């Protein structure tokens, strides 16, 4: 049995941010990732648009590791949505030009993120599925992890659930909730043609009011929970078929188009989340929260800014468990906003920093957490944004 101060389960943007933040606080951190690549949906899932760090009216709202990873993702150049345009001609150009967002290269980002975590002393265990936990006195004491070596046991101080599906909270019998509407089928893929390398977004949940460029239709009326093994396999097969059909149709007009990459992770947006000590609602934009850990913007709409209460990241029934990313406690309407990459990085940084400070989250002095986050570049409250 191996011992770690902090276990981060899942290596998407939330897990990367949490592991980095915790390691920078000097803790012994292990990150378990079931794939052999970091980035989760943001790399293996081919979702490569780092949605905005700004409110759409020229004010940056997400900072710290959210901005660091944004910049890391374009170390060798952006693929589209060039961030240097974000302050130019606000309100007059295309949506992408109005927002501080970028399209990056998934593979380059994954390699750079891995290097960054290793340089900061994080132990990464790839191909490692956290399949169960054991608890004592309302604490997770052990994680059971399966990989090529078989079943391994890890003893841990604090646990960050960054699985995207709230797997660890579910194993620990912490209160969780499912996405009631279920996920629409998506089949995003990359193709090449003589003009270059292109992201093809097939299957869009809805057409956001300010994103009129999204013209894709639903691929099927079936909805997917994202937490059932058999259903996930069916979903992936349907997604592959949709990719093939889409590409064959494309070839009728673009005969040199070649599929270059398909997703290696199911493209689910919302699955399972923690029922936290607080549930942030879509109506709470511009609300001051004493225990805010940072801010996020609304990628669909210019204007709304949300402070994220620390209480959305844990339920005190399991003392040493904190969540980040897609598993954060928000209402059904806000989930589609909170799940995106910058929000995952914001909650990841807070969860990792908090895990380095305590193994009983409901007792943490949040002002001390805020102090650490501020020292690491995070702006906590909307009133502190320079306008
Ligand atoms: C079709 C689609 C389009 C999207 N479009 C955008 C977009 O344009 N821009 C944007 O910003 N966001 C977009 N999103 C949302 C965004 O990509 C994700 O919500 C975000 O990347 C989630 O990050 P995460 O770290 O919380 O979770 P994930 O990316 O899901 O990462 C979780 C990681 O944990 C691992 N894992 C899971 N369970 C276990 C376990 N038990 N043990 C070990 N490892 C485990 C997984 O392999 C994965 O790597 C889109 C999502 C979808 C599906």
């Amino acid at each position: 049995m191996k011992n770690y101060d902090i276990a981060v389960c899942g290596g998407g943007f939330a897990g990367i941010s949490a592991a980095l933040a915790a390691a920078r606080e000097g803790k012994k951190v292990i990150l378990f990732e079931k794939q052999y690549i970091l980035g989760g949906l943001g790399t293996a899932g081919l979702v490569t648009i780092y949605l905005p760090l700004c409110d759409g009216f020229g004010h940056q709202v997400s900072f710290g590791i959210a901005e660091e990873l944004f910049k890391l993702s374009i170390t060798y150049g952006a693929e589209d949505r060039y961030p240097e345009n974000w302050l130019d001609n606000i309100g007059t150009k295309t949506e992408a030009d109005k927002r501080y967002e970028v399209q990056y290269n998934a593979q380059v980002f994954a390699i750079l993120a891995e290097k960054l975590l290793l340089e900061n002393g994080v132990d990464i265990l790839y191909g490692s599925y956290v399949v169960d936990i054991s608890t004592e006195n309302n604490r997770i004491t052990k994680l059971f992890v399966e990989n090529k070596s078989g079943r391994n046991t890890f003893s841990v101080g604090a646990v960050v659930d960054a699985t995207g599906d709230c797997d660890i909270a579910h194993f620990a019998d912490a209160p969780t909730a499912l996405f009631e509407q279920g996920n629409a089928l998506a089949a995003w893929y990359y193709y090449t043609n003589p003009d270059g390398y292109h992201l093809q977004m097939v299957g869009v949940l809805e057409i956001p009011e300010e994103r009129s460029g999204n013209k894709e239709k639903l691929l099927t009326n079936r909805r997917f929970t994202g937490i059932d093994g058999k259903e996930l396999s069916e979903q992936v097969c349907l997604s592959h078929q949709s990719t093939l059909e889409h590409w064959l149709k494309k070839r009728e007009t673009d005969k040199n188009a070649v599929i270059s990459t398909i997703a290696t992770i199911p493209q689910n947006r919302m699955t399972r989340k923690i029922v936290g000590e607080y549930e942030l609602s879509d109506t709470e934009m511009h609300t001051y929260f004493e225990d805010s850990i940072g801010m996020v913007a609304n990628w669909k709409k210019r204007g709304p800014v949300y402070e994220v209460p620390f209480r959305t990241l844990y339920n005190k029934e399991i003392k040493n468990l904190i969540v980040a990313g897609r598993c954060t406690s928000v209402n059904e309407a806000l989930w589609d906003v909170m799940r995106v990459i910058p929000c995952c990085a914001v909650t990841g940084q807070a969860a990792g920093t908090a895990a380095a400070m305590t193994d009983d989250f409901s007792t943490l002095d949040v002002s001390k957490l805020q102090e650490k986050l501020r020292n690491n570049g995070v702006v906590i409250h909307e009133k502190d944004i320079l306008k």
Side-chain angles (χ1 to χ4, degrees):
M1 185 158 74
K2 301 191 181 69
N3 300 305
Y4 279 88
D5 297 326
I6 297 164
V8 176
C9 305
F13 275 78
I16 293 168
S17 307
L20 184 59
R24 282 177 174 163
E25 294 296 322
K27 296 294 173 182
K28 196 174 165 206
V29 180
I30 186 154
L31 184 149
F32 301 111
E33 171 50 58
K34 66 180 168 61
Q35 309 283 118
Y36 282 89
I37 185 170
L38 291 180
L41 280 164
T43 57
L46 304 185
V47 172
T48 51
I49 302 164
Y50 206 123
L51 281 168
L53 300 173
C54 73
D55 66 355
F57 289 117
H59 309 117
Q60 185 175 347
V61 302
S62 300
F63 298 83
I65 289 179
E67 188 175 10
E68 181 179 350
L69 296 184
F70 181 102
K71 289 181 174 156
L72 185 77
S73 76
I74 49 169
T75 306
Y76 302 105
E79 294 203 332
D80 201 359
R81 302 173 188 241
Y82 303 96
E84 59 270 23
N85 293 339
W86 80 285
L87 283 173
D88 293 344
N89 301 316
I90 292 161
T92 61
K93 296 175 90 181
T94 65
E95 171 65 16
D97 280 342
K98 288 184 300 201
R99 305 297 293 260
Y100 185 13
E101 63 183 25
V102 77
Q103 190 174 320
Y104 57 90
N105 181 286
Q107 290 73 27
V108 171
F109 174 76
I111 295 169
L112 293 178
E114 177 186 88
K115 185 165 174 277
L116 180 65
L117 292 195
L118 294 176
E119 283 167 357
N120 280 274
V122 175
D123 284 353
I124 301 172
L125 212 53
Y126 281 133
S128 295
Y129 214 127
V130 184
V131 291
D132 207 354
I133 53 107
S134 69
T135 55
E136 261 170 53
N137 301 324
N138 295 82
R139 288 175 176 279
I140 297 176
T141 50
K142 289 180 194 146
L143 293 174
F144 303 105
V145 180
E146 292 184 355
N147 59 27
K148 194 71 177 170
S149 316
R151 178 172 273 228
N152 310 270
T153 308
F154 290 82
S155 118
V156 288
V159 180
V160 180
D161 186 343
T163 60
D165 302 322
C166 226
D167 283 3
I168 313 305
H170 172 69
F171 296 150
D173 287 330
T176 57
L178 300 182
F179 182 54
E180 284 167 15
Q181 300 164 44
N183 285 269
L185 188 67
W188 290 27
Y189 70 96
Y190 270 89
Y191 70 96
T192 57
N193 67 11
D195 296 334
Y197 177 64
H198 312 279
L199 172 62
Q200 182 68 57
M201 296 180 250
V202 184
V204 172
L205 190 60
E206 59 183 294
I207 300 173
E209 56 193 87
E210 289 192 12
R211 303 233 168 201
S212 52
N214 289 339
K215 293 270 194 278
E216 302 290 345
K217 294 200 180 67
L218 288 178
L219 295 169
T220 160
N221 287 332
R222 188 170 162 190
R223 294 296 174 124
F224 302 87
T225 63
I227 52 157
D228 177 275
K230 183 166 180 285
E231 184 208 56
L232 276 165
S233 296
E234 288 168 4
Q235 180 186 358
V236 166
C237 293
L238 283 169
S239 175
H240 290 163
Q241 288 309 312
S242 303
T243 297
L244 185 66
E245 279 164 28
H246 192 279
W247 171 68
L248 289 173
K249 195 145 197 300
K250 178 185 289 300
R251 280 213 320 174
E252 290 169 11
T253 50
D254 184 357
K255 65 178 174 32
N256 293 313
V258 177
I259 298 178
S260 56
T261 324
I262 59 171
T264 52
I265 204 168
Q267 293 173 328
N268 279 313
R269 293 173 167 94
M270 282 90 65
T271 56
R272 185 164 47 205
K273 65 183 174 184
I274 192 94
V275 175
E277 292 301 316
Y278 191 82
E279 184 181 86
L280 185 64
S281 151
D282 58 310
T283 57
E284 292 178 296
M285 70 273 278
H286 311 300
T287 303
Y288 176 89
F289 286 102
E290 186 74 37
D291 66 334
S292 169
I293 51 84
M295 286 169 285
V296 299
N298 184 333
W299 65 274
K300 296 177 168 184
K301 209 153 105 179
R302 294 190 293 150
V305 173
Y306 295 90
E307 295 192 4
V308 183
F310 182 55
R311 287 160 297 154
T312 60
L313 302 182
Y314 66 89
N315 183 296
K316 64 181 178 215
E317 279 191 26
I318 303 293
K319 295 179 192 306
N320 62 342
L321 177 67
I322 190 158
V323 309
R326 298 197 277 134
C327 323
T328 303
S329 180
V330 291
N331 74 350
E332 190 95 349
L334 192 61
W335 206 345
D336 200 31
V337 169
M338 221 25 221
R339 70 183 166 89
V340 300
I341 292 172
C343 311
C344 295
V346 166
T347 52
Q349 179 172 9
T353 308
M357 298 171 72
T358 185
D359 61 1
D360 185 351
F361 294 104
S362 65
T363 64
L364 180 66
D365 178 348
V366 181
S367 67
K368 295 211 166 97
L369 170 63
Q370 290 168 329
E371 197 181 314
K372 280 187 188 288
L373 291 171
R374 269 195 205 96
N375 290 340
N376 289 307
V378 177
V379 178
I380 303 288
H381 295 293
E382 197 175 358
K383 67 181 174 55
D384 299 324
I385 296 174
L386 295 176
K387 293 201 173 173

